[in-house]
Amino acid sequence: MLVAREYRSVADARQAVGPALDRACTPSLFDRIDWFESLHAHCFPATDVRIFQALEGECQAWLFLLSPGAGRLSALANWYSFHWAPIFLGPPDEAVRRRLVEVIAQSLLNDSAQIDLYPVTGASDMLLDAFRRAGWFSVRRPMGGRHILHLNGRTFADYWAQRPGRLRTLIARKKRASRFTLSIADRLTDALWRDYAAVQARSWKKPEADLRFLHALARRESAAGTLRLGFARLEDQPVATQLWTVENGVALIHKLAHDQGFDGASPGSLLSHAMFAHAIDRDHVATIDYGTGDNGYKTDWMEERETLHRLDFFNPRRASIWLPAARAAISALVG
């Protein structure tokens, strides 16, 4: 028997799913209940959530969505999310999983006009098929990329020998003149977080809008032993920082920043060199994931790019949505 349910808070979804989306049961950080809970609390506190569960036998599908306006739904995700996808529990039966998503999509036709999902990678084909079968008009558009490195058993020396010559030359030259002290911590302290926030405030990037979310992430991963918080310091002054997590053979690069007053000395690049070496030779990861964004510097460090997609679904029962749907379709064709 197939059953569909909806929850209007992450707390209610947590109670319903039990421990199945906790760290011990869910390998991916971005599929865990505490990820969605923290993301909503810190980044979307004024936006309602709509969380959908479909069950058939031992199989379950979960969709974590936001409701930013009447008739509108979006993925519960933002720039901190490396990917968004339905979360499946139970036996890996692709036909059942597709059917579960289709049932949720059918129920959404009753009160939703438009749904956008981003960033989606490998699940895009299944989502498109399930929503189209349910009666939605669907558009898929590429929107940026995700940069990944698979080590395939290489040591850091092997990996480094294969980097572009310009990068290896830069690091060698900057190391000879460097006055920076590099460190990598796996436990968060108040002092370390103050240093992290200080570098962010002097970074070339915009001030971090959701520093509380990152602080919560760092605390949670520190308690689990998966945090890798790196610093480059000039005497006692932190001038570059990187926030990574390492778990289940995968290193995730969440945030990096440096004090733009030290651009000429490249403390960020020197710190990256140390962080990659630590992840590969000390943590023995199989994969390093640089996350979303097509920043040029990523290509020197990484070797593969996975296309990210935005999926837009339009309810054809709503005449008001026909024009936006046509525009999205044209954009997908010319893009």
Side-chain angles (χ1 to χ4, degrees):
M1 181 177 178
L2 202 156
V3 178
R5 301 187 179 114
E6 180 180 351
Y7 305 94
R8 293 298 182 111
S9 75
V10 184
D12 287 345
R14 177 188 283 279
Q15 184 174 11
V17 76
L21 295 184
D22 289 347
R23 184 184 301 271
C25 302
T26 306
S28 172
L29 170 70
F30 306 106
D31 292 342
R32 293 178 189 150
I33 193 71
D34 56 9
W35 171 265
F36 291 111
E37 192 170 54
S38 185
L39 193 65
H40 181 246
H42 295 294
C43 303
F44 303 102
T47 306
D48 292 336
V49 293
R50 296 186 64 186
I51 302 167
F52 297 89
Q53 176 194 28
L55 308 92
E56 183 177 347
E58 297 180 355
C59 294
Q60 297 184 43
W62 288 82
L63 272 65
F64 286 79
L65 303 175
L66 290 167
S67 181
R72 291 289 306 273
L73 294 173
S74 300
L76 178 46
N78 67 359
W79 47 86
Y80 298 123
S81 307
F82 287 24
H83 71 88
W84 182 95
I87 301 168
F88 297 106
L89 303 174
D93 187 319
E94 292 302 318
V96 173
R97 290 179 171 185
R98 192 180 303 265
R99 190 158 60 244
L100 293 174
V101 174
E102 184 178 341
V103 166
I104 294 173
Q106 286 173 342
S107 71
L108 289 173
L109 284 169
N110 296 324
D111 62 4
S112 300
Q114 185 175 349
I115 302 170
D116 62 272
L117 305 177
Y118 174 85
V120 179
T121 52
S124 64
D125 287 343
M126 187 274 289
L127 284 164
L128 284 172
D129 183 60
F131 272 78
R132 284 170 177 167
R133 286 173 178 269
W136 290 84
F137 176 72
S138 307
V139 177
R140 172 169 53 188
R141 288 176 282 178
M143 289 188 64
R146 176 179 174 186
H147 292 262
I148 298 172
L149 171 70
H150 295 293
L151 274 307
N152 298 315
R154 285 175 289 177
T155 65
F156 179 73
D158 298 330
Y159 157 79
W160 191 245
Q162 296 167 352
R163 294 310 90 214
R166 62 181 178 276
L167 178 62
R168 290 185 285 115
T169 299
L170 171 70
I171 295 298
R173 179 164 50 84
K174 297 299 181 180
K175 283 181 74 173
R176 286 194 296 269
S178 175
R179 296 181 292 144
F180 302 118
T181 300
L182 306 179
S183 64
I184 302 171
D186 59 8
R187 290 292 185 270
L188 186 67
T189 66
D190 290 343
L192 286 176
W193 190 254
R194 285 194 296 271
D195 285 348
Y196 179 88
V199 177
Q200 284 284 350
R202 297 192 299 270
S203 172
W204 79 100
K205 298 181 178 181
K206 295 179 181 179
E208 194 64 54
D210 302 302
L211 201 59
R212 291 183 304 162
F213 171 77
L214 289 177
H215 193 192
L217 172 66
R219 288 199 311 266
R220 197 164 60 243
E221 299 309 308
S222 172
T226 63
L227 177 69
R228 302 294 182 268
L229 188 60
F231 286 95
R233 289 183 171 85
L234 183 59
E235 297 178 352
D236 293 330
Q237 181 183 355
V239 297
T241 186
Q242 297 190 14
L243 195 165
W244 295 34
T245 56
V246 174
E247 188 177 16
N248 301 316
V250 178
L252 304 174
I253 307 176
H254 296 279
K255 295 294 294 185
L256 65 165
H258 70 264
D259 185 331
Q260 58 185 347
F262 292 86
D263 279 357
S266 301
S269 296
L270 293 173
L271 181 57
S272 288
H273 183 269
M275 298 288 287
F276 273 77
H278 191 284
I280 295 170
D281 284 351
R282 295 277 298 277
D283 289 315
H284 304 291
V285 300
T287 301
I288 300 177
D289 192 333
Y290 227 136
T292 61
D294 279 320
N295 312 74
Y297 60 81
K298 293 182 179 180
T299 58
D300 286 345
W301 297 89
M302 313 303 276
E303 295 175 348
E304 297 179 24
R305 179 186 181 274
E306 184 176 26
T307 300
L308 299 169
H309 290 98
R310 171 176 167 140
L311 307 184
D312 287 284
F313 301 107
F314 301 91
N315 187 342
R317 301 175 185 175
R318 308 285 186 94
S320 61
I321 216 69
W322 294 351
L323 182 57
R327 287 172 175 164
I330 293 171
S331 175
L333 288 173
V334 301

